[in-house]
Amino acid sequence: MWLSSSSVGRKMVMAVSGAALLLFVTFHCLLNAVAICWPATYNSVCMFLGANWYALVASVALAALIVIHIIYAVVLTMRNRKARGVQGYAVSHRPATVEWSSNNMLVLGIVILAFLVVHLIQFWARMQLQEIRGSEEIIPPAAGTLFIQQAFSLVWTPIVYIIGFVALWFHMNHGFWSMFQSIGWDSTVWIPRLKKIGCWWVSLVICCFIAQAIVFTVRANEGYYKTNPELRDQYKGMLAEMYERDFGPAGAQTSYFIQQTPYDQVVQQLEMIMMQVESSYPTDEQFEAQIQSYGAEQQATLREQRKDEQRAFAAYNKMLEFFNYLDEPVHGAPATLELPEGAQQVIVNQ
């Protein structure tokens, strides 16, 4: 195939995939700006995307672009080294100002890839992937600001991100004009212009990224994303929607109560429910003893009802864990919830 067998075709693929990735990075920068200026709107965007089909299609397309870009970068680098020695890109003009980045595009790409893996683990794996797997953590997958809170409250996160951004600047700054030259736009008039355009564009994006990482770090260490009243109400609404989704019409009333009731009152109500569980809910042995006098059909019905109750109690417990997480100190221990023994038994038996 021409795109993979010829040098021109491979360069064309590199140029197109690189241009698409540059546009995505710019979009990501704008989305981060939303997280800073309107954090609740950022969560709404995360909720809109989630694991919906259009978001999954976009994720697969983006992953394919990254893989294609990496594969063709390695192939071009190996062929260039074999033909002309150690070079990153086969270009006819190589100014001294870009000599270092030009010769180290593959190394820069590896640094960026390592940074990308960290970023995916901290965000994508706990948001979209969490929804795909159906194994949700205490934090709702749409609560993107809380994942910012967790990631940037770590000392090493801003350091890793800034290193990644610097590598990204070198890589994109050279790649911007090089992709035009690779497809034949090797004009002594336009290449200098493209270098200036690319430098301004990439510098603006990377400077915004670094500024955003600093703001995220400061806010995370202040506990902003856990204590902001608007965000706390939004988190409460996310939990209510999750509850209604899990329990359907039967959970609609509870979901409505959670969404319409002030934050503190919801916490008090959940604590009261769990206290009632401890004081009155029978263990499995007690329950089986109580239903022995009923017929087999009634026993089966009662057991199903008990399973539904246990699922509800487990959901209440999960909500309480989440609220406790929001109320714990920013630099405190991981969120834990010590329930009475009877309530713990309910969760174990679900």
Side-chain angles (χ1 to χ4, degrees), residues 27-46:
F27 166 77
H28 200 323
C29 181
L30 296 176
L31 188 59
N32 284 358
V34 173
I36 290 178
C37 300
W38 307 282
T41 302
Y42 172 76
N43 285 335
S44 298
V45 173
C46 294

Side-chain angles (χ1 to χ4, degrees), residues 29-226:
C29 181
L30 296 176
L31 188 59
N32 284 358
V34 173
I36 290 178
C37 300
W38 307 282
T41 302
Y42 172 76
N43 285 335
S44 298
V45 173
C46 294
M47 190 180 303
F48 171 74
L49 295 175
N52 296 305
W53 68 267
Y54 43 83
L56 292 176
V57 170
S59 297
V60 171
L62 178 61
L65 280 173
I66 294 173
V67 171
I68 291 171
H69 195 74
I70 292 172
I71 292 174
Y72 275 77
V74 172
V75 171
L76 279 172
T77 300
M78 295 301 103
R79 288 182 177 274
N80 287 341
R81 284 182 176 179
K82 184 178 179 181
R84 290 177 292 275
V86 181
Q87 294 182 9
Y89 276 76
V91 295
S92 55
H93 304 289
R94 192 176 302 280
T97 54
V98 296
E99 185 69 29
W100 186 87
S101 59
S102 176
N103 286 336
N104 293 277
M105 287 295 279
L106 185 61
V107 174
L108 290 170
I110 293 173
V111 174
I112 294 167
L113 180 61
F115 161 62
L116 178 62
V117 170
V118 172
H119 184 63
L120 290 175
I121 292 173
Q122 289 184 325
F123 291 93
W124 178 80
R126 305 189 63 192
M127 298 173 72
Q128 189 178 76
L129 181 60
Q130 189 182 153
E131 284 195 59
I132 294 171
R133 295 177 58 196
S135 56
E136 295 171 351
E137 302 176 0
I138 294 176
I139 299 176
T145 48
L146 284 180
F147 295 115
I148 293 175
Q149 169 71 43
Q150 289 193 329
F152 285 91
S153 61
L154 301 173
V155 175
W156 56 267
T157 295
I159 299 173
V160 170
Y161 274 57
I162 290 175
I163 292 173
F165 292 147
V166 172
L168 193 61
W169 183 89
F170 280 107
H171 193 83
M172 292 197 308
N173 190 42
H174 175 72
F176 183 90
W177 65 266
S178 180
M179 65 183 178
F180 288 98
Q181 193 174 48
S182 295
I183 61 175
W185 199 348
D186 192 5
S187 167
T188 56
V189 175
W190 271 100
I191 288 297
R193 296 176 181 176
L194 291 170
K195 288 178 182 178
K196 292 180 180 179
I197 294 172
C199 185
W200 277 102
W201 184 349
V202 173
S203 297
L204 179 61
V205 170
I206 296 303
C207 286
C208 286
F209 269 133
I210 293 175
Q212 290 161 359
I214 294 172
V215 173
F216 288 151
T217 300
V218 171
R219 286 186 173 179
N221 282 275
E222 292 175 346
Y224 172 84
Y225 300 110
K226 296 175 70 173

Side-chain angles (χ1 to χ4, degrees), residues 4-15:
S4 59
S5 61
S6 71
S7 176
V8 175
R10 288 189 291 269
K11 291 177 181 179
M12 180 71 73
V13 172
M14 279 291 293

